[in-house]
């Protein structure tokens, strides 16, 4: 009997897996430089947290959660996203009583029982950042700039930014009612009709052409913003422009989670087909209260690691092979193996990436392994070299080989590699 990774999941294997690490690092680096502290929350939470936080009417909660009962009888759910957990942790640890905003970043695995397809997985990875406890357009703009800088640092050129404002609890209800009135007059199937009453904004996101065709004249949220939301949104836009970002206004950008208020945004890559969002986020001023906390206006984003690697691939950025060793050691004989083993340990302690031939496969096999490793230099040690107190350093690109005194090889290699 053999096993396979479950549907909608995949293994990150070398050398491609190195890109997942590089992407995680690059996407989180700007936030780390901007004072965001690292938070790690459990991979599962009380089911109620997501039901209330993400929203009972969302696809995530109604169709996509991995929910199970613990042996103690509690309903638990594998986290489908990170924001609700971060807010839960901030409330649980009482951080909202201290200096605000609380800035946190995270990285990890998330789980959604989605229809599996290219770029849409049931187990995927995000880097996220959240700033909690401040209502300040500069914070919204800061987060958007940090995400944009993360993508740019990876060399990505074709990431587009879409932004919108969903209004607040003052102006959203009137917009919602106007949209419901409009939608009730359309020719829609029964499931979509039911949606009008539960989550009308999501219908704007319906991808079906027959639905989109009817939505051309739908009222737009941006025409219904109150004065405060309008001013807030204008300030976010102007800060983004001031920071050199280009963006498109997308009044239909509603996002798939219920907690958003005011600013919402998405980063799109056109080389990815249907699953084009490489990241997204927004302001969620009411989420803390939705899960039983005090008012805690907040904003954040999550960037998809898997899709960012796919975007880099689409732009031809995965050409070099990361994670390779610089030096490969080849012992010829038993005594040489012992000597080279300690030399390899010494080189590694000096910060040089080194591998060596294992398994006693002979010179030919060992040199093949050296070539495959991607190393720039091979260190070859034979009986005669030991007698002479030297080791052969072979440049694997040019084929040139020189004898170097054993005592000086660390410095010689450091010099050659620098
Ligand atoms: P989200 O838009 O659901 O937002 O997910 C953010 C990103 O995660 C997406 O843009 C996408 O790149 C990636 N992603 C989502 N689902 C999948 C999937 N099934 N397969 C592969 N990648 C996926 C959130 O999760 C919010 N928590 C973002 C946020 C933080 N809002 C405020 N703070």
């Amino acid at each position: 009997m053999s096993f396979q990774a479950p549907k909608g999941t995949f293994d990150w294997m070398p050398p491609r897996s190195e890109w997942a690490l590089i992407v995680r690092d690059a996407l989180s680096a700007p936030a780390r430089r901007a004072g965001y502290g690292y938070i790690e929350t459990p991979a599962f939470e009380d089911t109620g947290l997501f039901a209330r936080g993400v929203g009972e009417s969302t696809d995530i909660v109604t169709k996509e959660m991995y929910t199970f009962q613990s042996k103690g009888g509690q309903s638990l759910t594998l986290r489908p996203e990170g924001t609700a957990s971060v807010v839960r942790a901030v409330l649980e640890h009482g951080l909202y009583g201290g200096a605000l905003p609380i800035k946190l970043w995270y990285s990890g695995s998330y789980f959604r029982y989605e229809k599996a397809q290219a770029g849409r997985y049931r187990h995927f990875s995000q880097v996220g950042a959240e700033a909690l406890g401040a209502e300040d357009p500069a914070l919204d703009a800061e987060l958007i700039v940090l995400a944009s800088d993360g993508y740019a640092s990876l060399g990505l050129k074709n990431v587009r930014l879409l932004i919108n404002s969903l209004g607040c609890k003052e102006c959203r209800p009137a917009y919602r009612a106007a949209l419901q009135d409009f939608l009730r007059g359309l020719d829609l199937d029964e499931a979509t009709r039911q949606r009008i009453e539960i989550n009308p904004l999501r219908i704007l996101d319906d991808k079906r052409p027959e639905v989109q065709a009817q939505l051309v004249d739908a009222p737009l949220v941006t025409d219904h913003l109150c004065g405060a939301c309008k001013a807030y949104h204008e300030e976010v836009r102007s800060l983004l422009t001031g920071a050199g970002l280009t963006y498109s206004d997308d009044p239909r950008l509603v996002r798939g989670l219920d907690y958003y208020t005011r600013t919402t945004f998405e980063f799109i890559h056109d080389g990815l087909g249907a699953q084009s969002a490489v990241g997204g986020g927004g302001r969620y001023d009411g989420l803390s209260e939705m899960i039983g906390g005090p008012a805690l206006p907040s904003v954040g984003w999550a960037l998809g690691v898997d899709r960012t690697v796919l975007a880099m691939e689409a732009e031809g950025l995965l050409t070099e092979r990361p994670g390779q060793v610089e030096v490969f050691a080849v012992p010829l004989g038993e005594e040489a193996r012992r000597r080279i083993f300690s030399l390899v340990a010494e080189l590694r302690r000096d910060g040089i990436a080194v591998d060596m031939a294992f398994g006693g496969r002979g010179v030919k096999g060992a040199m093949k392994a050296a070539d495959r490793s991607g190393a720039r230099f091979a260190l070859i040690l034979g009986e005669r070299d030991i007698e002479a107190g030297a080791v052969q350093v072979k440049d694997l690109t040019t084929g040139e080989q020189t004898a170097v005194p054993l005592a000086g090889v660390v410095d010689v290699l450091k010099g050659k590699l620098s």
Side-chain angles (χ1 to χ4, degrees), residues 81-83 106 112 114 119-121 124 126 130 255 257 259-260 277-282 284 300-302 304 307:
E81 61 102 49
T83 312
Y106 50 91
R112 296 182 193 173
E114 302 227 47
R120 185 195 269 175
Y121 310 111
F124 58 97
Q126 290 182 339
E130 316 283 351
R255 313 245 323 116
L257 304 99
Y259 49 61
Y260 290 112
V278 287
Y284 48 95
W301 48 241
R307 287 189 198 167

Side-chain angles (χ1 to χ4, degrees), residues 78-411:
L78 295 183
R79 57 185 180 191
E81 61 102 49
T83 312
S85 303
V86 169
V87 178
R88 194 265 310 137
V90 163
L91 297 179
E92 186 173 332
H93 296 274
L95 298 191
Y96 53 90
L100 299 176
I102 305 146
K103 290 170 145 192
L104 298 166
W105 77 273
Y106 50 91
S107 164
S109 293
Y110 297 85
F111 310 86
R112 296 182 193 173
Y113 192 78
E114 302 227 47
K115 222 162 133 195
Q117 60 187 92
R120 185 195 269 175
Y121 310 111
R122 292 179 175 174
H123 168 238
F124 58 97
S125 179
Q126 290 182 339
V127 169
E130 316 283 351
L132 303 101
E135 196 182 308
D136 183 340
L139 213 45
D140 305 43
E142 168 176 284
L143 276 155
I144 295 172
V145 171
L146 294 175
S148 170
D149 288 351
Y151 293 125
S153 74
L154 289 164
L156 284 164
K157 301 248 175 321
N158 303 325
V159 176
R160 292 188 289 123
L161 168 62
L162 305 179
I163 69 167
N164 191 23
S165 171
L166 291 181
C168 64
K169 59 175 188 268
E170 304 304 323
C171 54
R172 175 100 65 90
Y175 170 65
R176 192 173 186 272
L179 183 63
Q180 281 176 319
D181 272 353
F182 172 85
L183 294 170
R184 285 186 195 115
L186 303 185
D187 179 20
L188 299 168
D189 60 276
E190 192 43 42
T192 314
R193 291 209 149 274
Q194 282 173 15
R195 212 164 202 191
I196 298 175
E197 308 313 319
I198 310 163
N199 196 349
L201 271 72
R202 282 300 281 167
I203 297 175
L204 296 177
D205 225 16
D206 198 312
K207 301 282 183 289
R208 291 171 297 178
E210 66 275 20
V211 178
Q212 277 303 322
Q214 298 186 69
L215 292 174
V216 178
D217 296 322
L220 297 176
V221 64
T222 30
D223 295 330
H224 288 75
L225 295 179
C226 61
C229 283
K230 232 183 236 163
Y232 194 97
H233 196 50
E234 273 317 303
E235 183 60 13
V236 173
R237 293 170 80 249
S238 118
L239 287 166
L240 292 178
T241 307
L245 264 68
T246 45
Y247 55 83
S248 307
D249 293 303
D250 182 356
R252 299 261 174 102
L253 181 71
V254 293
R255 313 245 323 116
L257 304 99
D258 272 359
Y259 49 61
Y260 290 112
T261 50
R262 290 194 166 164
T263 315
T264 52
F265 53 89
E266 230 158 55
F267 291 93
I268 303 292
H269 195 282
D270 293 318
L272 297 188
Q275 306 308 314
S276 59
V278 287
R283 181 156 274 284
Y284 48 95
D285 291 340
L287 175 53
S288 168
E289 286 147 300
M290 278 152 73
I291 60 169
L296 198 66
S298 307
V299 55
W301 48 241
L303 314 180
V305 172
D306 315 78
R307 287 189 198 167
T308 302
V309 174
L310 292 174
M312 291 179 70
E313 188 167 42
E315 289 197 26
L317 294 169
L318 305 190
T319 45
E320 68 180 87
R321 248 186 72 186
Q324 288 168 309
V325 292
E326 300 161 293
V327 175
F328 196 93
V330 177
L332 308 176
E334 260 315 291
E335 179 56 20
R337 190 176 61 86
R338 266 181 230 116
R339 296 273 189 111
I340 222 161
F341 184 85
S342 49
L343 179 59
V344 163
E346 194 185 334
L347 287 165
R348 287 177 184 156
R349 286 183 198 123
D350 261 290
I352 300 173
V354 195
D355 196 2
M356 66 177 273
F358 290 101
R361 276 173 304 164
V363 197
K364 233 170 131 188
M367 288 312 292
K368 224 187 222 165
D371 280 331
R372 259 201 310 262
S373 75
R376 278 178 59 200
F377 297 99
L379 277 186
I380 306 158
L381 189 68
E383 303 295 332
R384 249 182 292 155
D385 297 312
I386 297 173
E387 277 165 31
V391 58
Q392 304 292 324
V393 176
K394 182 173 181 183
D395 185 320
L396 290 169
T397 324
T398 62
E400 191 188 325
Q401 188 168 314
T402 44
V404 173
L406 264 170
V409 70
V410 175
D411 288 334

